[in-house]
Amino acid sequence: TQASSGGGSSSSILGFAALAAAAGGGYYYYTNQQGAAPAPAATASDASKVDVAAIKNEIASMLEDENHDDGSYGPILVRLAWHHAGTYDKNSNTGGSDGAAMRFEPEAGWGANAGLHTARAILEKVKKNHPEISYSDLWSLAGNTAIEEMGGPELPFRLGRKDKPSDCKALPDGLLPDADGRDKKDKPAS
């Protein structure tokens, strides 16, 4: 079968993706358990108005596309969610899955985020159909949905991430590993 001929690479990617999603979800859960105030309704998803199941179904329906890379947007949606959450810096308590600042320069143009414009663009269609969900929640939900649709475990999800405005203070580049695998979090660029 096709699944068995893919070797360990698909299972390695899926395992890494599940770990990344769990880390982002764990951080979000942890920060909310530490007394973090809920996001203002104006910039966060209003849980009473968001139909998570409908949004997941819409994301799932657009994953397969023979014209994209290996025929699936799943891996790039997982990468978007990972990069979205992976900017968190515990020393400054900045970055992370709140904000969705990758919509703006300079973060959109970071080398580590190369190619993620594709994932953001396909999710823009979902956002247009569901303006009630924040980009921050949408990107995290897209990563979870992709993992689940590619055969991974069902992942818990909770709304409440807020979006930053376009004039937000930019994070420093270097919070994500370079494409060559070098992790620069210990010595980010200023």
Side-chain angles (χ1 to χ4, degrees), residues 70-127:
D70 66 349
S72 174
Y73 286 112
I76 199 167
L77 292 180
V78 171
R79 185 171 164 242
L80 175 67
W82 169 246
H83 282 231
H84 174 52
T87 57
Y88 178 68
D89 178 23
K90 71 177 181 176
N91 296 322
S92 64
N93 197 30
T94 58
S97 60
D98 265 348
M102 196 190 313
R103 294 172 291 149
F104 317 118
E105 292 297 336
E107 196 173 330
W110 289 354
N113 292 334
L116 292 178
H117 64 281
T118 301
R120 293 190 309 267
I122 63 164
L123 289 176
E124 196 60 42
K125 298 170 190 172
V126 178
K127 176 69 172 161

Side-chain angles (χ1 to χ4, degrees), residues 41 45-52 55 130-133 159:
S45 301
D46 181 349
S48 68
K49 296 179 181 175
V50 177
D51 185 345
V52 172
I55 296 170
H130 301 278
E132 67 279 6
I133 191 168
L159 296 165

Side-chain angles (χ1 to χ4, degrees), residues 5-164:
S5 68
S9 125
S10 292
S11 61
S12 296
I13 290 171
L14 192 56
F16 177 74
L19 180 63
Y27 164 74
Y28 183 75
Y29 176 79
Y30 174 79
T31 58
N32 280 291
Q33 295 304 312
Q34 299 301 314
T43 58
S45 301
D46 181 349
S48 68
K49 296 179 181 175
V50 177
D51 185 345
V52 172
I55 296 170
K56 284 180 74 168
N57 286 337
E58 189 169 338
I59 293 167
S61 73
M62 57 190 254
L63 286 178
E64 301 304 314
D65 183 345
E66 290 302 319
N67 296 316
H68 175 72
D69 194 34
D70 66 349
S72 174
Y73 286 112
I76 199 167
L77 292 180
V78 171
R79 185 171 164 242
L80 175 67
W82 169 246
H83 282 231
H84 174 52
T87 57
Y88 178 68
D89 178 23
K90 71 177 181 176
N91 296 322
S92 64
N93 197 30
T94 58
S97 60
D98 265 348
M102 196 190 313
R103 294 172 291 149
F104 317 118
E105 292 297 336
E107 196 173 330
W110 289 354
N113 292 334
L116 292 178
H117 64 281
T118 301
R120 293 190 309 267
I122 63 164
L123 289 176
E124 196 60 42
K125 298 170 190 172
V126 178
K127 176 69 172 161
K128 188 178 219 179
N129 292 335
H130 301 278
E132 67 279 6
I133 191 168
S134 67
Y135 283 99
S136 295
D137 279 338
L138 177 60
W139 294 355
S140 296
L141 182 60
N144 281 16
T145 303
I147 289 168
E148 293 169 3
E149 292 294 318
M150 292 187 296
E154 186 173 329
L155 299 168
F157 181 79
R158 187 167 68 185
L159 296 165
R161 296 162 194 83
K162 59 186 174 183
D163 293 338
K164 290 185 176 177

